[in-house]
Amino acid sequence: MDERLERYATELFAPEDSSLAAIRARHGALGLPPIHISSDEGKLLHVLLRATGARRVLELGSLAGYSGVWLARALPVDGRLTTVEKDPRHARLARQAFAEAGVSDRVTLIEGAALDVLPTLAAGFDAVFVDADKAPLADYYEWSLTLLRPGGLLLCDNAFYHGSVVDPEDRSPDALGVRAFNQRAATDSRVAAAVIPIRDGLVIGVKLPS
Ligand code: DHB
Ligand code: MG
């Protein structure tokens, strides 16, 4: 998109408050990987949760809490975001971010590798946002479908993975994982899915009633 249009849309529709700005600043100051979602992607996730009346949401990959704040703020007061993070440093920063943003009462952060944590969760999530390591994405796909309620929303960041999905030379585990997730989401008869070309691509799907 034209840079001026992107700035116009982001500044108008997805301004950051001081909590979100502080999380972003922390990424720079602490040398965290600058891979959090953009504010316009955060606002899109927020709108999707609001539009579907989501109350129970699962996130894989908290990082320092930037996306979690966007997600948690879309929930009703009795809603719950469960977010999973394997890096203890990221988990500590995410907890701090949730406290600063005033959403701690709506967030449960579980520290651990997603594939260890997922089998411990009760099914029935209204939405799952997958934004963790890329190699296991086929497994994360299957777990997401297991844990989503029928009609639930499947969301996955990095559908394009910097263009590596269309680079046949890229056979890295990460690229293979992203392609596998996309392939399943696109062709699975249990799901209707599309890609929104925002930032690095967002897969959005719905688990169809069986
Ligand atoms: C990268 C970006 C992401 O959004 C992510 O989830 C993982 C990696 C990246 O830029 O490498
Ligand atoms: Mg991502």
Side-chain angles (χ1 to χ4, degrees), residues 135-158:
L137 268 171
D139 291 330
Y140 296 161
Y141 179 89
E142 295 302 329
W143 272 111
S144 297
L145 277 197
T146 298
L147 294 175
L148 277 172
R149 67 165 171 82
L153 209 51
L154 174 68
L155 304 159
C156 184
D157 192 37
N158 308 101

Side-chain angles (χ1 to χ4, degrees), residues 35-37 41 129-132 134 157-158 199-200:
I35 58 171
H36 55 76
I37 60 169
E41 188 179 1
F129 176 51
V130 181
D131 193 14
K134 308 309 177 198
D157 192 37
N158 308 101
R199 193 175 151 263
D200 197 24

